[in-house]
Amino acid sequence: MRVPLSWLREYVDLPAGETGRDVAAKLVDAGLEVETVEQLGGGLKGPLVVGQVLTIEELEGFRKPIRFCTVDVGQANGTGEPQEIVCGARNFSVGDKVVVVLPGAVLPGDFAIASRKTYGRTSHGMICSGDELGMGDDGTHGIIVLPHEHEVGTDAIELLQLVDEVLDIDITPDRGYCMSMRGVAREAATAYGLPLRDPALLDVPQPNSYGYPVKIDDPAGCDRFTARTVTGLDPDARSPIWLTRRLQKAGMRPISLAVDITNYVMLELGQPLHAYDRSSIEGTIGVRRAEQGEKFTTLDGVKRTLDAEDLVITDNSGPIGLAGVMGGANTEIADSVTDPETGQVTGTTDVVIEAAHFDSVSISRTARRMKLSSEASKRFERGVDPQAAAAAAQRTVDLLVLLAGGTAEAGVTEVIAPGAPRTIAMPADHPDRVAGMEYGRETVVRRLQEIGCDVYGQDELVVTVPSWRPDLAAPNDLAEEVIRLEGYGNLPSTLPQVPSGRGLTARQQLHRRVGRALAGAGYVEALSYPFIGEGVFDQLQLPAHDASRQVVKLVNPISDEEPALRTTLLPGLLGALRRNDSRGSHDLALFETGSVFRAAAQPGVAVRLPVDRRPTDEEVATLNAALPAQPRYAAVVLAGAREQAGWWGKGRPADWADAVQAARSLAVEAGTELVVRQGQYGPWHPGRCAELVVTIDGVEQVIGHAGELHPRVVKAMGLPARTSAMELDLDRLAAAGGEALQAPRISTFPVATQDVALIVDASVPASSVEAALRKGAGELLESLRLFDVFTGEQVGEGKKSLAYALRFRATDRTLTAEESTAARDAAVALAGERTGAVLRGA
């Protein structure tokens, strides 16, 4: 909401020296979000005056039309002689009043004006357009042509109100009343402790039986409809300068007098209005729900297909407006047209003014379904004062009579659904208990009255909520109003008392440890959007029956290209790696931990929870049961150099072993044993893919994969060559690790090292040999490491040699050579029994 300070001063007598920044600070203290304070006319310097075009000479021989004009600027140039100006615009003629900037002036953007020779003539100044003066486009895309009543030589800076300050306020959904000058003025008056001149306090005639007929078929969707008729409008009447300038400062483009007036009143009072061409309406105006599939063309010329939930304004011919969103093209106010032969101006002369109150939820759903957000829908979605409809209609009628020469018909139509003011019961000390400080009953009552509430009672207050505050629905809402008006900065700073024995859950602790471990290993965390397109599964070469292809689709996705919730973290991580690589960062190691979403075999249907009470435990449980499973995953991706080259030695590229090691690091943090063995799955290279296995309740489960990505996946996704990745189910990894993380045993006795080289068939996984050695060595084995793999003639065809370093240590003594050798022999024996391993050289 853009709020010109000059307009705001009409309703509140702000201190004379108060600047826009001062007012913004007060409004911020009151809880409004003032984003910027725009200085209009900053650096603008005259002379800038009204001039009248005397002659126009068309200059020929140039690529574009050029005109040499003489303009009467009165005594503004110091001589009284006509000013000679070269101009390229063509939307003005001899006799028109225009805005002229003379040599020595400075326009916005530090654009200094001086006499200069151009197109073979000397131009002493410039005839100005709205854009050149910082006013914005007025719809003509040309020179400003002023009404004839303005005198030559008049100061145009003051006439066009070019110097002002505009507050740009971000209105939150609960402050819909502030989407109007009236609402912001109310907040400013409260903040300064000044009286408010309410623009809605008008003399409104009582409804009668001879107004324009209106019928409401859906009172729940439209509980109030006011219709007024104005006849005899001058189709050639134009919006005055003060009106167009206020619209422009508020961010709206002037269109025509009738439309400008309805927009102006909407900005002033917050009540959206619509003007219908009376001659285009057939019969009674009605309000009903649309028929499914019904067609309707809106003012923007788009033919729309309506839904049965959409609320429409109708006449005997069908829909004439999309209620609370946009009017119809079939009843649009006609532009004025001048007959070239007779000079007669034709256009809309009779209008019907609509000021209605519509259900906010209905309007919000229609606007989103149609992807049609209008100034009216933004206000109805946040809540409009239903009591302001009659005043807004009267204000519109008054302006049409004043500015367009119309006549207000005596008929007043007002259809109102029965309703009562909302009341809230609240203990007088409730704001004190919420804020943790004492305000006292008098302060609470005074602050509530300042926002428009009627308050009765002593210890137990009965508060009648004003019609413009639909967001006030509970005692906590009233307490918030008292607290914000008293100042959030005045609240005491106290730390809450945390109950003992509480802290992070085991799942949260593991999540933190995993992040720290990967960051410590040189990975950088990347947070990606949880949305994917199903085409990415083909790029990852996932089988058609793969569970990851069973996605949960969103009804209203942010992007139509990514309508589903992710079932894997890899697409987002690989996309981040690709973007960084394309921007010059080639050595990358990224990780992410987050939820993936698994569709249920039988999707549940989510119930709509009530909003008038707290949902029951059964209702919450039913809602949770309808949600998809959301296990937490961890993934890493690597490309480029893992270790940089330098004076210290050669570098090393990232490879599949780094991805596997990342998985091992996570297993250490989870306190579980991870089995790594050869595997094959989707995006990974079949010869460089590791299967990650844990044991849960005595059953082995594959929880992820790690290794180098398949070349075809790398090409399809535009990734660097030899990109590696790892992904695993963090929840199942935690389940395999038990509740508490076991600290390592530390012995003060020396270690005994034994190396063994075993020959096995080339098809035997190293992990199987390692598992057998670990089992056979017993409790004395501290660690086991594969340090060499050898193939060649020395070990025989189809064989390979695996060399392991075994470290033995006891907690209570120094091991003898016989003990460590016996443990080694037991390990070799079990490996030979399980995998056919033979001690090399034996």
Side-chain angles (χ1 to χ4, degrees), residues 305-529:
T305 301
L306 303 180
D307 187 89
E309 287 190 0
D310 295 332
L311 199 64
V312 292
I313 311 299
T314 65
D315 64 2
N316 293 346
S317 65
I320 59 173
L322 198 55
V325 180
M326 186 173 286
N330 51 350
T331 55
E332 181 180 7
I333 300 295
D335 294 332
S336 59
V337 178
T338 303
D339 190 311
E341 296 182 358
T342 64
Q344 183 178 0
V345 179
T346 59
T348 298
T349 57
D350 302 336
V351 297
V352 176
I353 305 300
E354 165 207 307
H357 184 261
F358 301 111
D359 176 57
S360 60
V361 175
S362 175
I363 302 305
S364 177
R365 289 178 178 170
T366 296
R368 281 161 174 74
R369 186 184 303 112
M370 298 287 182
K371 297 182 178 179
L372 184 61
S373 179
S374 63
E375 291 293 331
S377 68
K378 291 176 185 176
R379 286 164 172 79
F380 279 121
E381 288 171 6
R382 289 165 171 80
V384 169
D385 181 6
Q387 302 291 339
Q394 182 62 43
R395 176 70 164 145
T396 305
V397 169
D398 292 343
L399 289 174
L400 285 172
V401 171
L402 175 66
L403 302 177
T407 300
E409 288 194 350
V412 178
T413 302
E414 193 165 16
V415 181
I416 303 175
R422 288 178 295 111
T423 60
I424 302 173
M426 180 186 73
D429 64 346
H430 183 68
D432 301 359
R433 289 186 281 112
V434 172
M437 64 181 296
E438 185 176 351
Y439 293 119
R441 180 187 177 279
E442 290 185 2
T443 299
V444 171
V445 172
R446 174 171 57 83
R447 289 302 190 184
L448 293 178
Q449 289 174 341
E450 285 177 352
I451 65 172
C453 296
D454 291 330
V455 186
Y456 303 96
Q458 293 298 318
D459 294 338
E460 187 75 17
L461 302 180
V462 178
V463 182
T464 302
V465 176
S467 58
W468 59 83
R469 293 301 301 271
D471 58 302
L472 302 180
N476 282 341
D477 298 328
L478 300 177
E480 180 184 357
E481 292 298 302
V482 174
I483 294 168
R484 78 174 179 87
L485 293 178
E486 283 294 302
Y488 290 119
N490 296 325
L491 291 176
S493 297
T494 56
L495 291 175
Q497 296 294 325
V498 180
S500 60
R502 297 188 181 181
L504 298 178
T505 64
R507 191 169 187 256
Q508 292 169 333
Q509 290 175 349
L510 176 60
H511 180 248
R512 287 196 177 183
R513 291 200 305 271
V514 164
R516 288 170 181 161
L518 291 175
Y523 291 86
V524 176
E525 186 171 16
L527 300 177
S528 57
Y529 285 114

Side-chain angles (χ1 to χ4, degrees), residues 812-832:
D812 58 348
R813 67 189 186 282
T814 300
L815 293 178
T816 64
E818 290 77 12
E819 287 177 309
S820 61
T821 301
R824 181 203 66 182
D825 292 343
V828 171
L830 188 58

Side-chain angles (χ1 to χ4, degrees), residues 2 246-253 267 375:
R2 289 173 57 85
R246 285 190 172 178
L247 291 177
Q248 288 173 329
K249 292 177 185 179
M252 302 189 75
R253 181 173 64 86
L267 291 173
E375 291 293 331

